[in-house]
Amino acid sequence: MEREELAISDDLEEQAWKLLEKSIIYYQGRPIGTVAACDASKVALNYDHCFVRDFVSSALLFLIKGRYDIVRNFLAETLKLQPVESQFNAYRPTQGLIPASFKVVSTNDQEYLESDFGEHAIARVTSVDSCLWWIIILHAYVKATKDINFALQPEFQQGIMLIMELCLATRFDMYPTLLVPDGACMIYRRMGIYGYPLEIQALFYTALRAARKLLICAGDEEIVIGIDNRLPLLRDHIRHHYWIDMKRLNVIYRFKGEEYGHLATNQFNIYPDSIPYANLAIWLPKHGGYLAGNVGPSQLDTRFFALGNMMAILSSLASEQQSQAIMNLIEEQWDDLVGEMPMKICFPAVEKEEYRIFTGCDPKNIPWSHHNGGSWPVLMWSLIAAAQKTGRTDIGKRAIEMAQKRLGADQWPEYYDGTRGLLIGKEARRCQTWTITGFLLAKELMRNPNHLELISFGQFDLENASQACEL
Ligand code: GLC
């Protein structure tokens, strides 16, 4: 980089750190999280809350910088919000859940935390990802501080067990994946992602890997056996049924429908006519591929969802070969998947009748905006992390260099619009904290790839898993 460009980038980082400091929330005098956005020009709605998923990039950054207190306080306080009793009350959150977000409420004589499990959220969506991210952050905390005793405290072990019980319970279906309602993750509105969305499956797999390491004391408890059983089943299911490349597309193209019984090759009864072959066959590069957005009964959602694919690489849910193929695809279809701002939340956008049906005519999710094909700078850290893990640093470098030319001048928007991400998001908040931390974290990961170990897992190996874990 030229000297002048380096100076600009240093200034930008300094500005970003200052804004991040301003976003910190204090509770009883201690830092416990960061607000979603500090944009005084818009109605706050719940952007003055600390969202668990938004805090992930803040947490990793604070851990890298040795500011352990804020992450420790966040983990301890959010754990206190987790319901521990099972109650048959449809209007109360289920035992084990971690809220989507919380805020500090101050009255004359006291301060308390108000949480939202979805009972206040727009469209009353449930955050399934929060409890998974919570375990992932806890694991990163223990990795960074080497303080396993923190996670061994009884209330933390119980917290992990409750989340695991909730996720591992058998319900109405018999798949290793998790069945969730629409809007249960980063895409926090109706977007046709109910069922078995990739993002949730990838976070589920990552949380299982993390929980397995943190439940040291549980020995051969039922839950640990449950995790060991589930991990390979989930991994193989995703690697097989979600994978799309030219070879697989050819298999799907010739699928027969209506197969009954164990010997069916088209197990989910995917009707080939539902797949946009013409586009996909042209779009897929020879050595590229990706994990589909969703797989269920007669459903193969061929949209590319960024966070699910990136987390699949980081957790080794995707095989090494698949991880390389995903990075090849990103490189070859850069304009579509990254454009001018890393990176698209999903591709392509749903349009016309599909938009109307999938989103319920949501004006915020019009084609190429917000969740429907918008570009989210927060995704940059996961792209850079995946690029580092697969040895594709050139991809990471290209992404950061492009983003840093615009983010500061645009006042750190929540998201960008348009097929190339050239427009500042129509409804985007400015000074969005995870945009700021996504950039800062990406920078740190580029500088020192060793930080990857906070969030990355090697291939799962049952024999090693059952030995006492070294974190
Ligand atoms: C939007 C996003 C959600 C995020 C929240 C706060 O609702 O969809 O993922 O957590 O804003 O930033």
Side-chain angles (χ1 to χ4, degrees), residues 160-210:
I160 305 168
M161 295 285 266
L162 289 179
I163 297 170
M164 287 294 109
E165 274 168 21
L166 181 61
C167 295
L168 293 172
T170 25
R171 293 202 177 82
F172 300 112
D173 58 352
M174 283 170 287
Y175 307 148
T177 34
L178 269 190
L179 175 63
V180 299
D182 214 336
C185 50
M186 177 182 177
I187 296 186
Y188 201 39
R189 299 166 85 91
R190 184 175 154 195
M191 259 293 286
I193 56 161
Y194 51 85
Y196 307 87
L198 177 66
E199 180 179 326
I200 289 290
Q201 313 314 324
L203 292 179
F204 179 32
Y205 189 77
T206 318
L208 286 174
R209 299 289 313 266

Side-chain angles (χ1 to χ4, degrees), residues 151-293:
L152 292 183
Q153 297 174 86
E155 63 274 28
F156 277 82
Q157 290 284 306
Q158 177 187 267
I160 305 168
M161 295 285 266
L162 289 179
I163 297 170
M164 287 294 109
E165 274 168 21
L166 181 61
C167 295
L168 293 172
T170 25
R171 293 202 177 82
F172 300 112
D173 58 352
M174 283 170 287
Y175 307 148
T177 34
L178 269 190
L179 175 63
V180 299
D182 214 336
C185 50
M186 177 182 177
I187 296 186
Y188 201 39
R189 299 166 85 91
R190 184 175 154 195
M191 259 293 286
I193 56 161
Y194 51 85
Y196 307 87
L198 177 66
E199 180 179 326
I200 289 290
Q201 313 314 324
L203 292 179
F204 179 32
Y205 189 77
T206 318
L208 286 174
R209 299 289 313 266
R212 184 62 183 82
K213 292 194 172 238
L214 295 168
L215 287 173
I216 303 176
C217 285
D220 61 352
E221 288 254 355
E222 223 183 324
I223 290 287
V224 175
I225 297 171
I227 297 175
D228 284 346
N229 287 341
R230 192 67 163 258
L231 275 166
L233 296 181
L234 177 61
R235 179 196 60 196
D236 297 346
H237 180 96
I238 299 285
R239 286 184 185 180
H240 181 67
H241 294 292
Y242 282 62
W243 186 246
I244 300 181
D245 61 5
M246 270 317 279
K247 192 166 161 220
R248 182 79 184 145
L249 196 64
N250 268 301
V251 174
I252 301 169
Y253 183 58
R254 298 167 64 85
F255 263 166
K256 307 235 172 330
E258 317 297 327
E259 292 176 304
Y260 178 81
H262 284 304
L263 296 176
T265 43
N266 179 7
Q267 281 181 27
F268 289 98
N269 198 35
I270 307 295
Y271 294 110
D273 276 357
S274 68
I275 311 294
Y277 286 105
N279 296 343
L280 267 179
I282 298 169
W283 192 69
L284 276 170
K286 199 163 164 215
H287 299 291
Y290 66 103
L291 293 166

